Structure formats: C-alpha cells, structure tokens
C-alpha cells in the first residue's frame, strides 16, 4: 500500500490474482500449470505500476495493490478481502483489475469488460486516447467476465470497477488475425500446462502500454476528489448510493 498524502483514508485498489492451478493432470508430459498469461502477466503489470507510484510524486489518496489468491476457485481471495478490508467499501473509490494479458505486442484497442457500467469508462478513455488507442467492448460478453473476475466481490458491494486491457486489435496482426490468436489461446492454452512464458516468442510491449495506461488512470483517480458513479441503468448503482450516504 502507498499511503495517500492528503486523503489517506480513501483508496484506489489494483487487483491481479497471483496463483494459478499448480500441479495437475499431465498434458504432453508436463504437469506444471505455470499460468504465465493467466495471471503472471497481470501481476507483472501491477508490480510495475507499484514501482512507478513508489518513485513518482506522492498521490492524494492511498493506493492498494492487492494480489489475491483462488480466483480460479471462485474469487475466494478477493471475496475474503472485501469481507475483511483495510478500507471500508464506501471509502474505496474504484477497483482496477485485470487478468490474462496477451503477449501479442501493442494493441490499438483498450477492451473494457463490463463497459457501460460506470463513469470509469470515461476515465480510461481519456488516457487511452493519449496512447492513440480506442475503447472496445468485450467481444464475448456471454462469458460474463465482469461477474467472474476479482473485481466482482467489490462490484457486488457497490464499488465501481474496471477490467481493461488491449485485446481485440493487436498492431502487428489486425483485428481478424488477433481474434484468431485470442480464440487459439482460449482453446489450446488457457488452463493448460502450455500457458508458459517463451521469451523468444512473447512480445510484452502491450503489457507495458497497459501498465502505463492504468497507472495514469489510477493516478488521476488518486489525485481527484471524484467518486465515479455507476450509470443509471446499472444494477450496482443503488447499493453504492446507499453505502455512500
Ligand atoms: Zn485468471
């Protein structure tokens, strides 16, 4: 945690689950489920942002970097945190989560899981535009990732959250080829021992861009007095209004 210099009791939270599936069924002679993409990628994203916050000008609000466990078992770590938080939910300004950052280089898009839910979309867009990127909706909302990743225990208690990353339009590949590579990841690599890091093939420049992007979004939130709200038609709006009273 980095304590805020003016409003230390208010917090912006970053989340990335650090564990994966451990040792499991052998596939092609390999039983180690490394989880390089899911979710070492986002842990690296978060650690580098933490380093940046530590070495730059202090921000007004506190920043919490939360590396939770047991996401794969049903959000147990993030659920535990929200039941035993360091800051009450009504003092938690926003949650910035991510998972599965692909090693495909820089992306033209910033895909928002759960887009249209809250004002946080606008906070991301402001910084995305500065990187020459555009916001894209989730190409597979039927997977329900907004309701299945570590932001959700916060969301259920009314805290606005974003889960953002480059995803649908890698610079090197274009949209069509990118979506083929994304599909291949989910079909062949996701939750298998082949989710490994290959330094010769991995291009981390997109992960770096995403870290810079969400670092700026978090900095802006931490240096403002704003309390981003849920959109009018969001099912989470009422609980936030109640807790913020
Ligand atoms: Zn994951």
């Amino acid at each position: 945690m980095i304590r805020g210099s003016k409003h230390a009791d208010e917090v912006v939270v970053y989340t990335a689950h650090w564990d994966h599936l451990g040792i499991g069924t052998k596939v092609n002679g390999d039983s180690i489920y490394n989880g390089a993409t899911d979710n070492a990628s986002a842990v690296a994203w978060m650690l580098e942002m933490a380093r940046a916050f530590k070495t730059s000008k202090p921000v007004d609000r506190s920043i919490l970097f939360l590396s939770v466990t047991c996401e794969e078992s049903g959000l147990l770590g993030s659920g535990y945190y929200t039941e035993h938080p360091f800051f009450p939910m009504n003092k938690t300004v926003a949650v910035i989560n991510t998972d599965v950052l692909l090693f495909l280089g820089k992306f033209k898009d910033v895909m928002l899981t759960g887009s249209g839910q809250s004002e946080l979309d606008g906070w991301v867009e402001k910084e995305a535009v500065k990187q020459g990127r555009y916001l894209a909706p989730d190409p597979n909302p039927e997977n329900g990732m907004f309701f299945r990743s570590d932001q959700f225990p916060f969301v259920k208690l009314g805290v606005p959250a974003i889960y953002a990353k480059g995803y649908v339009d890698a610079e090197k590949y274009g949209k069509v080829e990118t979506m083929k590579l994304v599909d291949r990841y989910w079909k062949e690599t996701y939750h298998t021992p082949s989710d490994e890091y290959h330094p010769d093939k991995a291009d981390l420049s997109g992960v770096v861009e995403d870290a810079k992007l969400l670092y700026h979004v978090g900095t802006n939130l931490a240096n403002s007095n704003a309390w981003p709200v849920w959109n009018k038609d969001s099912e989470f709006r009422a609980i936030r209004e109640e807790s913020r009273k």
Side-chain angles (χ1 to χ4, degrees), residues 9-11 13 81-82 85-93 154 159 227 240 243:
D9 60 326
E10 300 172 3
V11 69
V13 180
Y81 173 79
T82 57
F86 301 137
F87 297 82
M89 291 299 117
N90 64 3
K91 292 284 185 182
T92 304
V93 179
F154 292 87
V159 180
W227 291 90
R240 184 61 156 181
S243 80

Side-chain angles (χ1 to χ4, degrees), residues 89-107:
M89 291 299 117
N90 64 3
K91 292 284 185 182
T92 304
V93 179
V95 171
I96 300 174
N97 177 56
T98 205
D99 199 348
V100 182
L101 297 171
L102 299 167
F103 306 148
L104 301 177
K106 290 187 184 179
F107 285 82

